[in-house]
Amino acid sequence: MADEDDEGGEGGEGGGTGLPASLEMAWGLRERPGKGPRPTLTLPRIVETAVTLAAGEGMDAVSMGRVAKELGVSTMSLYRYVTAKEELYILMSDAGVGAPPALPPEADGWGWRELLSQWAFDQRAVLMANPWILRIPITGAPVSPNQLAWMERGLAALADTGLGEGEKISTIILIGGLVRNEATMAADMMDAIVKSGVSPDQVLGQYVRTLRLMTGPDTHPAVTRLLESDAFTGSDEPDFQFRFGLNRILDGLATRVASGRTDGDPGPGPGPGPRPGGV
Amino acid sequence: MADEDDEGGEGGEGGGTGLPASLEMAWGLRERPGKGPRPTLTLPRIVETAVTLAAGEGMDAVSMGRVAKELGVSTMSLYRYVTAKEELYILMSDAGVGAPPALPPEADGWGWRELLSQWAFDQRAVLMANPWILRIPITGAPVSPNQLAWMERGLAALADTGLGEGEKISTIILIGGLVRNEATMAADMMDAIVKSGVSPDQVLGQYVRTLRLMTGPDTHPAVTRLLESDAFTGSDEPDFQFRFGLNRILDGLATRVASGRTDGDPGPGPGPGPRPGGV
DNA sequence: CTCTTCTGTGTAAGTAATACACAGAACTAG
DNA sequence: CTAGTTCTGTGTATTACTTACACAGAAGAG
């Protein structure tokens, strides 16, 4: 596993953005040099093909060879458009999330809470409609057009909260993480259901049954209480977990906004008072 | 589900837990049948070797072949102890997180907030000390001993909050997700620093410089405001993001606990009032 | 002592990412 | 028009990885 030469790492020339060529392409910088033979493919077509494949057969089906076959070209030709598989993944992600949807007209009078809530639900809807996105590991900070558009929308929702910029971006990351986590768990569940061929209740039931065998009131009193409750059986509110988490965060944010505090102290560390954290 | 021959997917015999053999072993069920030749290896030794490797060279270095080589055995011999690589990963995770540390003596008088905060900080410390754990994708609900011990500890912190069991587990998942997200971002950053060989400030600076080129006050006003602030440069508080997120969640939880509400309504959906979510 | 069961192992199949060099296309400079 | 330049798609080959399968031999059971 040799490492790159020096040069920071990322792509060589281009607009000096430090981004790989394919991403500069996605931003509309860098047009095609009119020199060589006309390309058979285009980046959008490659990405679209890969996305279709991912949507249809899951992310596991997306290999360079497979995408190339789908396009009717050789595997290596893809590397004329993308320098590594991971780069294709980034472009797929960007295409998959798309641009954030327009706000409904009545959003005019909304405050930050409604805007942020809508932002979270919109994002979640996109992820649940394209679960393969969740199988692409996040490699770094967002740099693609649509990802940044979502970030813009999120930050904009917090514009008039009086929060500091550091707090705003922290909030966006916090809620974005929540959305992704919850969507991932839902997708995992869905996968388990599909793979085992049984119903959601049965999957959950099997899990509860397994836990019952490993735990007991002596060693795991709190878990036992959980298992004895109807928390797993009562599936009346499928969104419960997501909505609960989101609303707790929004509540906490409301406290902060009302307090008029900006940056500075994020809040105490572990335990009561200032103590260095455990372990 | 007592009967079966197709048997869904998981392991065949054993304690009827539905868990693979290696995991039952980790729970102490299932002892070695005294029949065949004495095994050269033990599961703990394999896991320990893999963990050492992961800690030293990163998760990428952990392949079945490499672990076997490290142990001085053939690749295939590992499959006598583990049915798939993913199973080894689960065991590595469990070993990596270890048992939750003992609470400090003064924790006796702590309330749920302090207990939960300590829980989060403890978990974060473990992940930051063993960042390779973060490279193991989560495949399903926790079933290994230490994972469950952490879950027990988390639920126990919420014991006297009056929250419903569904709310408790949602809270644990929420905060667990936060911890993992933040630790993963920190680890990603660390990786970027190591790979590029430059300082954290330079990595952040490069990112800001890149964003400046793609965004502008017209298309991305909120992002522009962020970039013009000192949110990225002022690295006075390295923990800021984590503490901010955690304390916002705890604040929101405090509101909920004080309100005396239990299960039932997790809170509203997107937008003001009951509206079906967007897109 | 024989049988059964379990061990470690070699071999090989299948998949995957990607480095490298080459033939030929399309444009540009003269 | 011609030569040169640059860019295209491609075949080949390398490296690495997971895992199915069958076999030889060890250790206890009867």
Side-chain angles (χ1 to χ4, degrees), chain A residues 27 142 145 147-157 159 165 168-169 172, chain B residues 207-208 210-229 231-232:
Chain A
W27 278 100
Q147 301 276 4
L148 268 181
W150 280 95
M151 181 170 153
E152 167 69 24
R153 171 74 65 88
L155 287 171
E165 293 300 322
K168 285 184 198 167
I169 188 64
I172 292 311
Chain B
Y207 180 58
V208 170
T210 300
L211 283 200
R212 268 197 234 276
L213 290 172
M214 331 304 261
T215 66
D218 307 325
T219 57
H220 301 78
V223 171
T224 302
R225 273 195 299 276
L226 171 68
L227 293 176
E228 279 169 357
S229 78
F232 284 111

mmCIF file of all heavy atoms in Angstrom, chain A residues 27 142 145 147-157 159 165 168-169 172, chain B residues 207-208 210-229 231-232:
data_model
loop_
_atom_site.group_PDB
_atom_site.id
_atom_site.type_symbol
_atom_site.label_atom_id
_atom_site.label_comp_id
_atom_site.label_asym_id
_atom_site.label_seq_id
_atom_site.Cartn_x
_atom_site.Cartn_y
_atom_site.Cartn_z
ATOM 1 N N TRP A 27 -19.104 20.560 -10.812
ATOM 2 C CA TRP A 27 -19.380 21.951 -10.465
ATOM 3 C C TRP A 27 -19.479 22.824 -11.711
ATOM 4 O O TRP A 27 -19.706 24.026 -11.627
ATOM 5 C CB TRP A 27 -18.296 22.498 -9.542
ATOM 6 C CG TRP A 27 -18.497 22.144 -8.107
ATOM 7 C CD1 TRP A 27 -17.877 21.159 -7.412
ATOM 8 C CD2 TRP A 27 -19.377 22.770 -7.168
ATOM 9 N NE1 TRP A 27 -18.302 21.121 -6.112
ATOM 10 C CE2 TRP A 27 -19.229 22.107 -5.932
ATOM 11 C CE3 TRP A 27 -20.279 23.822 -7.248
ATOM 12 C CZ2 TRP A 27 -19.946 22.453 -4.785
ATOM 13 C CZ3 TRP A 27 -20.996 24.179 -6.095
ATOM 14 C CH2 TRP A 27 -20.828 23.504 -4.886
ATOM 15 N N PRO A 142 -18.376 17.504 3.137
ATOM 16 C CA PRO A 142 -19.109 17.611 1.875
ATOM 17 C C PRO A 142 -18.482 18.639 0.933
ATOM 18 O O PRO A 142 -18.145 19.742 1.354
ATOM 19 C CB PRO A 142 -20.500 18.060 2.317
ATOM 20 C CG PRO A 142 -20.327 18.658 3.672
ATOM 21 C CD PRO A 142 -19.177 17.945 4.282
ATOM 22 N N PRO A 145 -21.892 19.570 -5.188
ATOM 23 C CA PRO A 145 -22.885 20.642 -5.304
ATOM 24 C C PRO A 145 -24.146 20.427 -4.478
ATOM 25 O O PRO A 145 -24.537 21.309 -3.694
ATOM 26 C CB PRO A 145 -23.200 20.650 -6.806
ATOM 27 C CG PRO A 145 -21.992 20.094 -7.460
ATOM 28 C CD PRO A 145 -21.429 19.095 -6.503
ATOM 29 N N GLN A 147 -24.754 18.312 -2.032
ATOM 30 C CA GLN A 147 -24.472 18.214 -0.598
ATOM 31 C C GLN A 147 -24.354 19.613 0.002
ATOM 32 O O GLN A 147 -24.861 19.880 1.093
ATOM 33 C CB GLN A 147 -23.162 17.453 -0.361
ATOM 34 C CG GLN A 147 -23.127 16.044 -0.921
ATOM 35 C CD GLN A 147 -23.744 15.019 0.000
ATOM 36 O OE1 GLN A 147 -24.290 15.355 1.054
ATOM 37 N NE2 GLN A 147 -23.662 13.752 -0.387
ATOM 38 N N LEU A 148 -23.678 20.476 -0.723
ATOM 39 C CA LEU A 148 -23.530 21.837 -0.217
ATOM 40 C C LEU A 148 -24.848 22.601 -0.245
ATOM 41 O O LEU A 148 -25.094 23.453 0.611
ATOM 42 C CB LEU A 148 -22.467 22.575 -1.021
ATOM 43 C CG LEU A 148 -21.076 22.462 -0.419
ATOM 44 C CD1 LEU A 148 -20.065 23.233 -1.238
ATOM 45 C CD2 LEU A 148 -21.082 22.977 1.021
ATOM 46 N N ALA A 149 -25.677 22.284 -1.215
ATOM 47 C CA ALA A 149 -26.980 22.946 -1.267
ATOM 48 C C ALA A 149 -27.815 22.574 -0.038
ATOM 49 O O ALA A 149 -28.492 23.420 0.554
ATOM 50 C CB ALA A 149 -27.713 22.559 -2.546
ATOM 51 N N TRP A 150 -27.756 21.329 0.352
ATOM 52 C CA TRP A 150 -28.463 20.909 1.562
ATOM 53 C C TRP A 150 -27.880 21.606 2.790
ATOM 54 O O TRP A 150 -28.611 22.041 3.685
ATOM 55 C CB TRP A 150 -28.367 19.389 1.741
ATOM 56 C CG TRP A 150 -29.337 18.627 0.909
ATOM 57 C CD1 TRP A 150 -29.109 18.077 -0.316
ATOM 58 C CD2 TRP A 150 -30.698 18.310 1.232
ATOM 59 N NE1 TRP A 150 -30.233 17.440 -0.773
ATOM 60 C CE2 TRP A 150 -31.224 17.558 0.153
ATOM 61 C CE3 TRP A 150 -31.531 18.584 2.320
ATOM 62 C CZ2 TRP A 150 -32.539 17.081 0.130
ATOM 63 C CZ3 TRP A 150 -32.840 18.101 2.302
ATOM 64 C CH2 TRP A 150 -33.334 17.366 1.225
ATOM 65 N N MET A 151 -26.598 21.700 2.822
ATOM 66 C CA MET A 151 -25.947 22.370 3.942
ATOM 67 C C MET A 151 -26.381 23.839 4.001
ATOM 68 O O MET A 151 -26.699 24.350 5.076
ATOM 69 C CB MET A 151 -24.436 22.264 3.770
ATOM 70 C CG MET A 151 -23.606 22.886 4.870
ATOM 71 S SD MET A 151 -21.857 22.386 4.641
ATOM 72 C CE MET A 151 -21.012 23.760 5.411
ATOM 73 N N GLU A 152 -26.421 24.450 2.854
ATOM 74 C CA GLU A 152 -26.874 25.840 2.791
ATOM 75 C C GLU A 152 -28.287 25.976 3.341
ATOM 76 O O GLU A 152 -28.582 26.841 4.157
ATOM 77 C CB GLU A 152 -26.815 26.338 1.338
ATOM 78 C CG GLU A 152 -27.542 27.638 1.066
ATOM 79 C CD GLU A 152 -26.859 28.832 1.718
ATOM 80 O OE1 GLU A 152 -25.637 28.734 1.979
ATOM 81 O OE2 GLU A 152 -27.535 29.837 1.993
ATOM 82 N N ARG A 153 -29.138 25.085 2.906
ATOM 83 C CA ARG A 153 -30.525 25.138 3.350
ATOM 84 C C ARG A 153 -30.626 24.976 4.871
ATOM 85 O O ARG A 153 -31.410 25.659 5.527
ATOM 86 C CB ARG A 153 -31.310 24.034 2.634
ATOM 87 C CG ARG A 153 -32.719 23.810 3.131
ATOM 88 C CD ARG A 153 -33.684 24.899 2.714
ATOM 89 N NE ARG A 153 -33.894 24.971 1.282
ATOM 90 C CZ ARG A 153 -34.814 24.271 0.610
ATOM 91 N NH1 ARG A 153 -35.607 23.452 1.248
ATOM 92 N NH2 ARG A 153 -34.940 24.412 -0.683
ATOM 93 N N GLY A 154 -29.836 24.078 5.391
ATOM 94 C CA GLY A 154 -29.858 23.851 6.838
ATOM 95 C C GLY A 154 -29.371 25.059 7.608
ATOM 96 O O GLY A 154 -29.995 25.493 8.580
ATOM 97 N N LEU A 155 -28.261 25.607 7.154
ATOM 98 C CA LEU A 155 -27.731 26.786 7.834
ATOM 99 C C LEU A 155 -28.702 27.950 7.727
ATOM 100 O O LEU A 155 -28.867 28.730 8.680
ATOM 101 C CB LEU A 155 -26.380 27.165 7.227
ATOM 102 C CG LEU A 155 -25.202 26.253 7.556
ATOM 103 C CD1 LEU A 155 -23.975 26.629 6.718
ATOM 104 C CD2 LEU A 155 -24.861 26.324 9.041
ATOM 105 N N ALA A 156 -29.323 28.064 6.569
ATOM 106 C CA ALA A 156 -30.249 29.173 6.360
ATOM 107 C C ALA A 156 -31.403 29.107 7.362
ATOM 108 O O ALA A 156 -31.906 30.134 7.824
ATOM 109 C CB ALA A 156 -30.788 29.152 4.933
ATOM 110 N N ALA A 157 -31.809 27.902 7.688
ATOM 111 C CA ALA A 157 -32.919 27.746 8.636
ATOM 112 C C ALA A 157 -32.566 28.346 9.989
ATOM 113 O O ALA A 157 -33.447 28.757 10.744
ATOM 114 C CB ALA A 157 -33.282 26.276 8.784
ATOM 115 N N ALA A 159 -30.686 30.984 10.419
ATOM 116 C CA ALA A 159 -30.129 32.330 10.217
ATOM 117 C C ALA A 159 -30.482 33.295 11.335
ATOM 118 O O ALA A 159 -29.628 33.998 11.866
ATOM 119 C CB ALA A 159 -30.592 32.881 8.871
ATOM 120 N N GLU A 165 -21.933 31.043 14.528
ATOM 121 C CA GLU A 165 -21.738 30.218 13.335
ATOM 122 C C GLU A 165 -21.261 28.821 13.708
ATOM 123 O O GLU A 165 -21.658 27.823 13.100
ATOM 124 C CB GLU A 165 -20.735 30.887 12.395
ATOM 125 C CG GLU A 165 -21.231 32.194 11.790
ATOM 126 C CD GLU A 165 -22.493 32.006 10.968
ATOM 127 O OE1 GLU A 165 -22.608 30.983 10.270
ATOM 128 O OE2 GLU A 165 -23.389 32.881 11.028
ATOM 129 N N LYS A 168 -24.196 26.928 14.760
ATOM 130 C CA LYS A 168 -25.054 26.563 13.640
ATOM 131 C C LYS A 168 -24.537 25.319 12.925
ATOM 132 O O LYS A 168 -25.292 24.377 12.687
ATOM 133 C CB LYS A 168 -25.130 27.734 12.646
ATOM 134 C CG LYS A 168 -25.992 28.889 13.098
ATOM 135 C CD LYS A 168 -26.076 29.944 11.993
ATOM 136 C CE LYS A 168 -26.554 31.282 12.542
ATOM 137 N NZ LYS A 168 -26.342 32.374 11.583
ATOM 138 N N ILE A 169 -23.277 25.339 12.582
ATOM 139 C CA ILE A 169 -22.758 24.191 11.840
ATOM 140 C C ILE A 169 -22.789 22.939 12.714
ATOM 141 O O ILE A 169 -23.073 21.830 12.249
ATOM 142 C CB ILE A 169 -21.339 24.462 11.291
ATOM 143 C CG1 ILE A 169 -20.890 23.337 10.359
ATOM 144 C CG2 ILE A 169 -20.323 24.631 12.395
ATOM 145 C CD1 ILE A 169 -21.740 23.215 9.108
ATOM 146 N N ILE A 172 -26.271 21.626 12.484
ATOM 147 C CA ILE A 172 -26.520 20.965 11.204
ATOM 148 C C ILE A 172 -25.915 19.571 11.187
ATOM 149 O O ILE A 172 -26.537 18.596 10.738
ATOM 150 C CB ILE A 172 -25.934 21.826 10.058
ATOM 151 C CG1 ILE A 172 -26.734 23.112 9.932
ATOM 152 C CG2 ILE A 172 -25.933 21.071 8.755
ATOM 153 C CD1 ILE A 172 -28.216 22.898 9.892
ATOM 154 N N TYR B 207 -9.929 23.012 3.234
ATOM 155 C CA TYR B 207 -11.356 22.803 3.021
ATOM 156 C C TYR B 207 -12.075 24.144 2.862
ATOM 157 O O TYR B 207 -12.873 24.329 1.934
ATOM 158 C CB TYR B 207 -11.949 22.013 4.182
ATOM 159 C CG TYR B 207 -13.425 21.750 4.057
ATOM 160 C CD1 TYR B 207 -13.930 21.064 2.950
ATOM 161 C CD2 TYR B 207 -14.325 22.169 5.028
ATOM 162 C CE1 TYR B 207 -15.288 20.816 2.814
ATOM 163 C CE2 TYR B 207 -15.683 21.920 4.908
ATOM 164 C CZ TYR B 207 -16.150 21.254 3.803
ATOM 165 O OH TYR B 207 -17.495 21.011 3.680
ATOM 166 N N VAL B 208 -11.763 25.057 3.734
ATOM 167 C CA VAL B 208 -12.382 26.376 3.652
ATOM 168 C C VAL B 208 -12.048 27.034 2.318
ATOM 169 O O VAL B 208 -12.917 27.628 1.664
ATOM 170 C CB VAL B 208 -11.911 27.265 4.821
ATOM 171 C CG1 VAL B 208 -12.342 28.704 4.606
ATOM 172 C CG2 VAL B 208 -12.459 26.736 6.133
ATOM 173 N N THR B 210 -11.305 25.591 -0.479
ATOM 174 C CA THR B 210 -12.077 24.916 -1.528
ATOM 175 C C THR B 210 -13.513 25.429 -1.550
ATOM 176 O O THR B 210 -14.034 25.798 -2.600
ATOM 177 C CB THR B 210 -12.078 23.399 -1.285
ATOM 178 O OG1 THR B 210 -10.728 22.930 -1.305
ATOM 179 C CG2 THR B 210 -12.875 22.688 -2.369
ATOM 180 N N LEU B 211 -14.124 25.471 -0.370
ATOM 181 C CA LEU B 211 -15.517 25.922 -0.316
ATOM 182 C C LEU B 211 -15.664 27.345 -0.833
ATOM 183 O O LEU B 211 -16.630 27.668 -1.527
ATOM 184 C CB LEU B 211 -16.043 25.836 1.113
ATOM 185 C CG LEU B 211 -16.414 24.447 1.616
ATOM 186 C CD1 LEU B 211 -17.352 24.547 2.805
ATOM 187 C CD2 LEU B 211 -17.037 23.599 0.523
ATOM 188 N N ARG B 212 -14.718 28.171 -0.520
ATOM 189 C CA ARG B 212 -14.796 29.558 -0.975
ATOM 190 C C ARG B 212 -14.866 29.638 -2.490
ATOM 191 O O ARG B 212 -15.499 30.526 -3.057
ATOM 192 C CB ARG B 212 -13.578 30.333 -0.472
ATOM 193 C CG ARG B 212 -13.795 31.030 0.848
ATOM 194 C CD ARG B 212 -12.723 32.095 1.052
ATOM 195 N NE ARG B 212 -12.032 31.917 2.332
ATOM 196 C CZ ARG B 212 -12.484 32.374 3.496
ATOM 197 N NH1 ARG B 212 -13.642 33.001 3.540
ATOM 198 N NH2 ARG B 212 -11.805 32.201 4.600
ATOM 199 N N LEU B 213 -14.197 28.693 -3.143
ATOM 200 C CA LEU B 213 -14.178 28.722 -4.599
ATOM 201 C C LEU B 213 -15.506 28.257 -5.199
ATOM 202 O O LEU B 213 -15.879 28.665 -6.303
ATOM 203 C CB LEU B 213 -13.045 27.832 -5.130
ATOM 204 C CG LEU B 213 -11.631 28.374 -4.874
ATOM 205 C CD1 LEU B 213 -10.588 27.338 -5.269
ATOM 206 C CD2 LEU B 213 -11.426 29.663 -5.654
ATOM 207 N N MET B 214 -16.205 27.394 -4.486
ATOM 208 C CA MET B 214 -17.443 26.856 -5.045
ATOM 209 C C MET B 214 -18.672 27.654 -4.630
ATOM 210 O O MET B 214 -19.717 27.523 -5.250
ATOM 211 C CB MET B 214 -17.671 25.413 -4.587
ATOM 212 C CG MET B 214 -16.416 24.638 -4.298
ATOM 213 S SD MET B 214 -15.350 24.643 -5.717
ATOM 214 C CE MET B 214 -15.742 23.060 -6.380
ATOM 215 N N THR B 215 -18.552 28.404 -3.577
ATOM 216 C CA THR B 215 -19.732 29.091 -3.059
ATOM 217 C C THR B 215 -19.571 30.604 -3.170
ATOM 218 O O THR B 215 -18.491 31.099 -3.445
ATOM 219 C CB THR B 215 -19.953 28.747 -1.574
ATOM 220 O OG1 THR B 215 -18.867 29.272 -0.814
ATOM 221 C CG2 THR B 215 -20.036 27.249 -1.380
ATOM 222 N N GLY B 216 -20.651 31.292 -2.961
ATOM 223 C CA GLY B 216 -20.607 32.747 -2.985
ATOM 224 C C GLY B 216 -21.840 33.299 -2.312
ATOM 225 O O GLY B 216 -22.787 32.543 -2.037
ATOM 226 N N PRO B 217 -21.847 34.572 -2.028
ATOM 227 C CA PRO B 217 -22.962 35.190 -1.299
ATOM 228 C C PRO B 217 -24.294 35.033 -2.035
ATOM 229 O O PRO B 217 -25.347 35.013 -1.396
ATOM 230 C CB PRO B 217 -22.579 36.672 -1.237
ATOM 231 C CG PRO B 217 -21.107 36.714 -1.493
ATOM 232 C CD PRO B 217 -20.799 35.543 -2.367
ATOM 233 N N ASP B 218 -24.248 34.903 -3.347
ATOM 234 C CA ASP B 218 -25.494 34.790 -4.094
ATOM 235 C C ASP B 218 -26.097 33.402 -3.983
ATOM 236 O O ASP B 218 -27.276 33.243 -3.686
ATOM 237 C CB ASP B 218 -25.249 35.113 -5.564
ATOM 238 C CG ASP B 218 -24.560 36.458 -5.736
ATOM 239 O OD1 ASP B 218 -24.871 37.364 -4.933
ATOM 240 O OD2 ASP B 218 -23.728 36.583 -6.642
ATOM 241 N N THR B 219 -25.278 32.423 -4.243
ATOM 242 C CA THR B 219 -25.800 31.062 -4.256
ATOM 243 C C THR B 219 -25.831 30.444 -2.857
ATOM 244 O O THR B 219 -26.689 29.613 -2.568
ATOM 245 C CB THR B 219 -24.937 30.171 -5.154
ATOM 246 O OG1 THR B 219 -23.582 30.226 -4.691
ATOM 247 C CG2 THR B 219 -24.970 30.660 -6.597
ATOM 248 N N HIS B 220 -24.865 30.790 -2.022
ATOM 249 C CA HIS B 220 -24.772 30.168 -0.700
ATOM 250 C C HIS B 220 -24.537 31.206 0.388
ATOM 251 O O HIS B 220 -23.472 31.222 1.019
ATOM 252 C CB HIS B 220 -23.628 29.148 -0.673
ATOM 253 C CG HIS B 220 -23.737 28.048 -1.669
ATOM 254 N ND1 HIS B 220 -23.422 28.205 -3.001
ATOM 255 C CD2 HIS B 220 -24.138 26.759 -1.547
ATOM 256 C CE1 HIS B 220 -23.606 27.054 -3.639
ATOM 257 N NE2 HIS B 220 -24.045 26.154 -2.788
ATOM 258 N N PRO B 221 -25.529 32.040 0.624
ATOM 259 C CA PRO B 221 -25.311 33.109 1.622
ATOM 260 C C PRO B 221 -24.975 32.572 3.009
ATOM 261 O O PRO B 221 -24.074 33.097 3.676
ATOM 262 C CB PRO B 221 -26.649 33.857 1.618
ATOM 263 C CG PRO B 221 -27.632 32.935 0.972
ATOM 264 C CD PRO B 221 -26.856 32.102 0.013
ATOM 265 N N ALA B 222 -25.674 31.559 3.440
ATOM 266 C CA ALA B 222 -25.454 31.062 4.800
ATOM 267 C C ALA B 222 -24.084 30.408 4.926
ATOM 268 O O ALA B 222 -23.379 30.575 5.924
ATOM 269 C CB ALA B 222 -26.556 30.069 5.183
ATOM 270 N N VAL B 223 -23.694 29.657 3.892
ATOM 271 C CA VAL B 223 -22.373 29.038 3.921
ATOM 272 C C VAL B 223 -21.290 30.114 3.902
ATOM 273 O O VAL B 223 -20.279 30.010 4.598
ATOM 274 C CB VAL B 223 -22.194 28.075 2.725
ATOM 275 C CG1 VAL B 223 -20.758 27.597 2.621
ATOM 276 C CG2 VAL B 223 -23.135 26.885 2.858
ATOM 277 N N THR B 224 -21.533 31.141 3.119
ATOM 278 C CA THR B 224 -20.570 32.239 3.059
ATOM 279 C C THR B 224 -20.389 32.877 4.439
ATOM 280 O O THR B 224 -19.261 33.141 4.871
ATOM 281 C CB THR B 224 -21.051 33.302 2.057
ATOM 282 O OG1 THR B 224 -21.205 32.688 0.776
ATOM 283 C CG2 THR B 224 -20.037 34.430 1.956
ATOM 284 N N ARG B 225 -21.510 33.099 5.112
ATOM 285 C CA ARG B 225 -21.407 33.654 6.465
ATOM 286 C C ARG B 225 -20.580 32.747 7.361
ATOM 287 O O ARG B 225 -19.761 33.212 8.149
ATOM 288 C CB ARG B 225 -22.806 33.834 7.064
ATOM 289 C CG ARG B 225 -23.457 35.158 6.719
ATOM 290 C CD ARG B 225 -24.650 35.438 7.627
ATOM 291 N NE ARG B 225 -25.696 34.436 7.514
ATOM 292 C CZ ARG B 225 -26.646 34.452 6.563
ATOM 293 N NH1 ARG B 225 -26.650 35.409 5.657
ATOM 294 N NH2 ARG B 225 -27.567 33.524 6.528
ATOM 295 N N LEU B 226 -20.790 31.449 7.205
ATOM 296 C CA LEU B 226 -20.030 30.493 8.008
ATOM 297 C C LEU B 226 -18.539 30.601 7.709
ATOM 298 O O LEU B 226 -17.701 30.647 8.612
ATOM 299 C CB LEU B 226 -20.522 29.070 7.716
ATOM 300 C CG LEU B 226 -19.691 27.941 8.322
ATOM 301 C CD1 LEU B 226 -19.808 27.943 9.840
ATOM 302 C CD2 LEU B 226 -20.131 26.594 7.767
ATOM 303 N N LEU B 227 -18.224 30.664 6.436
ATOM 304 C CA LEU B 227 -16.815 30.696 6.046
ATOM 305 C C LEU B 227 -16.135 31.992 6.481
ATOM 306 O O LEU B 227 -14.933 32.017 6.729
ATOM 307 C CB LEU B 227 -16.687 30.533 4.527
ATOM 308 C CG LEU B 227 -17.109 29.172 3.976
ATOM 309 C CD1 LEU B 227 -17.026 29.158 2.455
ATOM 310 C CD2 LEU B 227 -16.239 28.069 4.563
ATOM 311 N N GLU B 228 -16.931 33.046 6.558
ATOM 312 C CA GLU B 228 -16.337 34.315 6.966
ATOM 313 C C GLU B 228 -16.190 34.429 8.475
ATOM 314 O O GLU B 228 -15.503 35.329 8.965
ATOM 315 C CB GLU B 228 -17.194 35.478 6.432
ATOM 316 C CG GLU B 228 -16.892 35.794 4.982
ATOM 317 C CD GLU B 228 -17.910 36.746 4.401
ATOM 318 O OE1 GLU B 228 -18.863 37.100 5.127
ATOM 319 O OE2 GLU B 228 -17.778 37.116 3.218
ATOM 320 N N SER B 229 -16.847 33.541 9.168
ATOM 321 C CA SER B 229 -16.722 33.576 10.628
ATOM 322 C C SER B 229 -15.432 32.879 11.050
ATOM 323 O O SER B 229 -14.673 32.383 10.223
ATOM 324 C CB SER B 229 -17.915 32.859 11.267
ATOM 325 O OG SER B 229 -17.743 31.463 11.181
ATOM 326 N N ALA B 231 -15.473 30.209 12.794
ATOM 327 C CA ALA B 231 -15.925 28.902 13.270
ATOM 328 C C ALA B 231 -14.897 27.812 12.953
ATOM 329 O O ALA B 231 -14.745 26.852 13.705
ATOM 330 C CB ALA B 231 -17.268 28.539 12.637
ATOM 331 N N PHE B 232 -14.198 27.981 11.845
ATOM 332 C CA PHE B 232 -13.238 26.941 11.469
ATOM 333 C C PHE B 232 -11.832 27.222 11.982
ATOM 334 O O PHE B 232 -11.052 26.307 12.195
ATOM 335 C CB PHE B 232 -13.190 26.787 9.940
ATOM 336 C CG PHE B 232 -14.357 26.055 9.391
ATOM 337 C CD1 PHE B 232 -15.312 26.684 8.615
ATOM 338 C CD2 PHE B 232 -14.515 24.695 9.649
ATOM 339 C CE1 PHE B 232 -16.401 25.999 8.107
ATOM 340 C CE2 PHE B 232 -15.606 24.004 9.146
ATOM 341 C CZ PHE B 232 -16.554 24.656 8.369
#
